[in-house]
Amino acid sequence: MYTVKNTSNLTILVLTIAFLFTFSVPALSENVPVLVEPLTAGQTIPIGSVSIWNDVDTLYVEYDTTGTDWWLSLTHVNVSKDEIIIDGPRGPILVDPSDGRPSPGKYTIQTPHDPMVQSFIYEFELAELGWSIDDEIHVLTHANSHRLDGLGNELQGETAFGGSNPNTGNGWWFYSVFTLCEIDGPEN
């Protein structure tokens, strides 16, 4: 990962367009089941969605706040076939004893966004994880979210969790459960 500093907006725009044309996620067809879950900030504020789907080789997890005044400066994601508090590739996801939430710092993947984003997609190769069709995947998504005014000034900052399954213990957080679907591969 690298950071570009002291560049003009035009340079960032050109790099962004080049990135979008170079790295694109396969388009969804109507035959691909997508789980769309709420992305909730500050316990009760709906700020967008988290969408989860798979193709033949990859599981996708997308954060999206497009069309709102909410932006994301940091996203965390953890995916596992095990229960929510699990051993991931970088160690266990620990629950903070002070509030009962999974510690975002222990999620498998963390991505800072500078500049902030309204949409971001994580990709997980199914073969690398040893997953197959009909496996039930637990997905933990967290973000640092910021409500901005039209000039880019921060009006509010909140932690956000994606999912519709609430925590049953202390603290507030949500998670998602997705079953990997069989998808036809490209025709020969």
Side-chain angles (χ1 to χ4, degrees):
M1 175 189 269
Y2 63 91
T3 303
V4 179
K5 295 186 178 186
N6 298 324
T7 60
S8 71
N9 288 338
L10 178 59
T11 302
I12 292 172
L13 175 63
V14 170
L15 290 173
T16 301
I17 291 170
F19 177 81
L20 291 173
F21 283 109
T22 305
F23 302 99
S24 61
V25 175
L28 289 174
S29 74
E30 61 188 46
N31 298 329
V32 176
V34 178
L35 176 64
V36 180
E37 298 274 51
L39 181 59
T40 305
Q43 299 185 35
T44 60
I45 306 164
I47 66 167
S49 63
V50 172
S51 298
I52 305 163
W53 72 95
N54 68 279
D55 63 18
V56 174
D57 302 312
T58 307
L59 173 72
Y60 301 94
V61 178
E62 177 183 28
Y63 294 72
D64 188 10
T65 63
T66 304
T68 73
D69 52 359
W70 288 90
W71 293 78
L72 308 174
S73 64
L74 181 66
T75 53
H76 303 91
V77 65
N78 196 88
V79 294
S80 173
K81 286 193 330 184
D82 299 321
E83 292 299 319
I84 294 305
I85 307 306
I86 55 123
D87 286 323
R90 292 186 357 183
I93 292 181
L94 304 175
V95 173
D96 183 336
S98 68
D99 68 8
R101 292 188 300 190
S103 173
K106 300 293 183 181
Y107 282 32
T108 306
I109 297 176
Q110 305 174 54
T111 304
H113 305 287
D114 184 13
M116 290 188 274
V117 299
Q118 286 193 300
S119 181
F120 190 77
I121 299 175
Y122 287 101
E123 300 179 20
F124 300 90
E125 296 302 316
L126 301 177
E128 287 180 18
L129 297 168
W131 297 348
S132 57
I133 301 310
D134 295 328
D135 282 346
E136 189 173 84
I137 308 301
H138 294 86
V139 182
L140 286 158
T141 51
H142 174 267
N144 291 353
S145 61
H146 309 270
R147 189 167 64 92
L148 305 180
D149 67 14
L151 299 174
N153 299 310
E154 183 168 334
L155 302 173
Q156 184 176 0
E158 298 285 351
T159 191
F161 288 95
S164 58
N165 299 296
N167 165 41
T168 57
N170 294 330
W172 77 274
W173 52 278
F174 301 94
Y175 66 96
S176 303
V177 179
F178 179 76
T179 302
L180 294 174
C181 307
E182 185 168 352
I183 305 296
D184 292 332
E187 293 182 24
N188 295 329

